[in-house]
Amino acid sequence: MTTEDMKNEADSTSILTLYTVMYPVFNQLEGVDPTAARTLRAAFIKAEQENPGVTQEFVLKILEKKNLKINYSETLLRMAAADTEEFRIDRQDPEFQELNERAGALKHILSTIPDEIHDRVGFLQTIKDIASAIKELLDTVNTVFRNYQYQNRRALEQQKKEFVKYSKSFSDTLKTFFKDGKVLTVFVSANRLIHQTNMILEAFRSVV
């Protein structure tokens, strides 16, 4: 893995922190002080864009100050299946709604890994379910490509390739896990795959 690859993967975890941990906070604040919520949201988004990783550092510092000892990657994975408005495609065509559903299903299954990973039989079934969910999501992406034309198709194809790349990386991580038993690497890889799933949704959301 190159230094750039490592940087990109660290950045993706922080971005996942932004919309998994911080966005729900902003949404709750919206009901109390909409102006403050919008200001904070914009500030965090800008800070993350200019200094990738800053959101995760912020959250980890809070946990440290409160002396809360948790497995951060596991907690993030458990939370990552939550529906995020920013990654929901609003277009009502059946193919796009199916894309929402397939992506949501994959994220949900991935989020159950912490509950299943210590039960070999249950975890093997979860792995099969994940593989099926990945295939179904890719099938839906291909259906959208066939039925609709996009000017930036190349960018969408690239995002699909990134998703496939991280799907294969997740598969490789699982193979290693059955040899060394290191659960943390599985949690980290699953979080990266969830991030790529969201990026698929964002890519299509931005062009519809």
Side-chain angles (χ1 to χ4, degrees):
M1 181 181 291
T2 66
T3 302
E4 184 176 353
D5 286 338
M6 292 174 68
K7 179 180 181 299
N8 289 339
E9 292 187 358
D11 293 350
S12 71
T13 304
S14 187
I15 294 172
L16 189 62
T17 298
L18 175 61
Y19 55 70
T20 300
V21 179
M22 298 307 300
Y23 276 15
V25 174
F26 303 147
N27 291 340
Q28 286 189 344
L29 182 59
E30 188 84 31
V32 179
D33 190 335
T35 301
R38 287 192 294 270
T39 301
L40 276 174
R41 185 188 296 265
F44 267 89
I45 291 173
K46 182 179 180 181
E48 187 64 39
Q49 289 173 341
E50 296 180 353
N51 300 283
V54 69
T55 307
Q56 182 167 301
E57 290 178 12
F58 172 78
V59 172
L60 290 175
K61 283 295 183 182
I62 291 177
L63 293 174
E64 181 182 339
K65 188 172 182 179
K66 295 294 185 181
N67 199 29
L68 296 174
K69 300 185 183 302
I70 63 172
N71 184 318
Y72 185 73
S73 294
E74 176 183 345
T75 302
L76 196 61
L77 181 56
R78 289 180 182 277
M79 296 173 64
D83 186 32
T84 305
E85 183 179 347
E86 284 76 8
F87 300 111
R88 191 184 311 120
I89 301 172
D90 295 327
R91 189 163 172 170
Q92 294 303 307
D93 303 72
E95 297 91 341
F96 290 100
Q97 288 307 304
E98 184 175 351
L99 198 55
N100 281 330
E101 292 171 7
R102 298 301 188 192
L106 174 57
K107 290 190 290 182
H108 172 72
I109 298 170
L110 287 167
S111 74
T112 68
I113 287 176
D115 292 325
E116 301 291 347
I117 198 166
H118 298 294
D119 174 6
R120 185 178 179 86
V121 175
F123 189 44
L124 287 173
Q125 181 58 52
T126 298
I127 292 172
K128 292 178 182 178
D129 293 341
I130 291 170
S132 296
I134 289 172
K135 181 181 182 303
E136 289 171 353
L137 178 57
L138 286 172
D139 286 346
T140 304
V141 168
N142 291 332
T143 298
V144 173
F145 276 142
R146 284 196 304 270
N147 295 347
Y148 299 89
Q149 297 296 320
Y150 297 104
Q151 291 181 338
N152 59 342
R153 184 184 179 93
R154 182 174 297 180
L156 294 173
E157 287 280 10
Q158 182 58 40
Q159 187 56 59
K160 175 187 169 184
K161 289 179 181 178
E162 284 293 299
F163 176 80
V164 171
K165 169 186 169 183
Y166 280 88
S167 295
K168 291 179 178 177
S169 175
F170 178 71
S171 178
D172 291 339
T173 299
L174 290 174
K175 293 175 184 177
T176 302
F177 164 72
F178 284 113
K179 295 177 183 178
D180 63 21
K182 295 180 179 179
V183 298
L184 181 59
T185 56
V186 178
F187 296 159
V188 171
S189 187
N191 278 325
R192 292 170 185 157
L193 185 52
I194 285 177
H195 173 64
Q196 291 302 318
T197 303
N198 283 326
M199 291 303 96
I200 286 279
L201 292 174
E202 184 180 68
F204 280 96
R205 176 185 168 90
S206 65
V207 297
V208 299

